[in-house]
Amino acid sequence: MADRIHPRDSPLTMSPNDSSEMPLKPIPPFSPEKPVPPPGTYVIQIPKDQVYRVPPPENTRRFQQYALRKSDRGWCRSCFCWFLLLLAVFVVLFGITGAALYLVYKPESPKYNVTSFAIKGINVSSPTPTISPVIDVTVRAENPNDKVGIYYGKDSSATVYYSDVLLGNGAIPAFYQPSNNVTVLKAALKGPGIELTSSVLKALRNGEKNGKVPLRLTVEIPVKLKVGSVKTWALSVKVRCDVTVDKLTSKAKIVSKDCDYSWTPWW
């Protein structure tokens, strides 16, 4: 027969006069449907197809600017590619056209030559250092082409130098030169009121005494070629001639000359 224990003597019963033991906390009711997890750190895994990427509100404007910049960059890249393609097509067509014209017309470069210098207004024996020279220059232009004409424009310039001293300037008259033609051009180059230094006067006197006075003639003139019935764009003919004359008079003779010329676009 089991021994009966009085509730007063039970170890689970706390005496109201016992202050050494803490009161027990109430135990929450246990629910089998919602178990309470123990405290700790948990990792929750979510499938990728259920994750929605939404930018934070503060980054919305930055995202829109980036998307707009990317769209503009793609449009610019497309335009640049089309430009390169059109440029390549233009270069190919231009090359084919130029080769065809060259084979049909076979152009040759014109030839230029200085034939005479007539100098007036320079007296190196005079004690006055101021001179006003007038230099008549004759240039021979030859067009050896069979099917190409040359238009010489009016905006030309011609100058004569002794060393670094400008003795006179002027212009070549405008004219049209047909194919297989030789044209003689004359230009009066003037330099009013030029004051020479003593060293330049001395060098001119010695040159005339020795029969060798070096001069430099430069001519620049715009031209257009006529190929069949078509005129080309404007080109620039630059002629430079180093000419040595025996004296500085109207009867001066050319002792030596060396001419060079080039063709460049006229801008």
Side-chain angles (χ1 to χ4, degrees):
M1 192 174 176
D3 295 334
R4 292 185 178 182
I5 300 175
H6 195 276
R8 184 178 51 189
D9 299 332
S10 173
L12 299 177
T13 304
M14 183 175 64
S15 174
N17 296 326
D18 192 358
S19 59
S20 61
E21 295 182 11
M22 296 296 295
L24 295 176
K25 295 181 179 180
I27 299 175
F30 176 77
S31 175
E33 298 179 356
K34 296 181 180 180
V36 178
T41 303
Y42 297 89
V43 178
I44 301 176
Q45 296 183 355
I46 302 177
K48 291 185 178 180
D49 55 352
Q50 297 182 10
V51 177
Y52 298 94
R53 298 181 180 273
V54 179
E58 62 272 12
N59 293 339
T60 303
R61 182 179 301 176
R62 184 182 303 174
F63 175 77
Q64 293 176 352
Q65 292 178 355
Y66 175 77
L68 182 61
R69 188 185 308 169
K70 188 175 182 181
S71 177
D72 293 343
R73 190 179 302 170
W75 181 81
C76 293
R77 187 181 295 111
S78 178
C79 290
F80 183 71
C81 292
W82 276 106
F83 172 76
L84 290 180
L85 179 61
L86 292 177
L87 181 63
V89 172
F90 175 77
V91 171
V92 172
L93 292 178
F94 182 80
I96 294 175
T97 303
L101 291 176
Y102 181 82
L103 293 176
V104 172
Y105 293 97
K106 296 180 180 180
E108 298 181 35
S109 297
K111 300 177 182 180
Y112 304 97
N113 189 19
V114 178
T115 58
S116 68
F117 262 80
I119 305 171
K120 294 175 287 185
I122 299 179
N123 186 4
V124 295
S125 300
S126 174
T128 304
T130 303
I131 60 175
S132 297
V134 178
I135 304 174
D136 295 327
V137 180
T138 303
V139 179
R140 181 180 183 272
E142 179 183 358
N143 179 13
N145 294 281
D146 296 330
K147 301 178 182 180
V148 178
I150 304 175
Y151 288 93
Y152 290 87
K154 60 181 180 179
D155 297 327
S156 63
S157 64
T159 56
V160 173
Y161 284 86
Y162 172 76
S163 185
D164 294 331
V165 180
L166 177 63
L167 298 180
N169 54 24
I172 301 295
F175 70 101
Y176 171 71
Q177 187 176 29
S179 58
N180 293 320
N181 175 266
V182 175
T183 302
V184 177
L185 307 174
K186 292 184 179 181
L189 311 182
K190 301 178 181 180
I194 299 175
E195 188 170 350
L196 303 178
T197 62
S198 58
S199 59
V200 172
L201 275 175
K202 183 178 180 180
L204 285 174
R205 290 169 187 163
N206 292 334
E208 193 172 32
K209 181 180 179 180
N210 297 326
K212 292 182 180 180
V213 181
L215 303 174
R216 184 175 74 253
L217 171 67
T218 60
V219 178
E220 184 173 358
I221 183 169
V223 301
K224 290 184 179 181
L225 303 180
K226 181 181 179 183
V227 182
S229 59
V230 178
K231 289 183 182 180
T232 65
W233 57 88
L235 301 171
S236 176
V237 176
K238 297 180 180 180
V239 182
R240 170 174 172 163
C241 290
D242 294 324
V243 181
T244 301
V245 296
D246 60 345
K247 50 190 174 183
L248 300 173
T249 65
S250 59
K251 297 182 179 180
K253 294 182 179 180
I254 297 177
V255 178
S256 63
K257 55 186 175 182
D258 182 15
C259 295
D260 189 16
Y261 57 90
S262 62
W263 291 63
T264 58
W266 179 272
W267 306 118

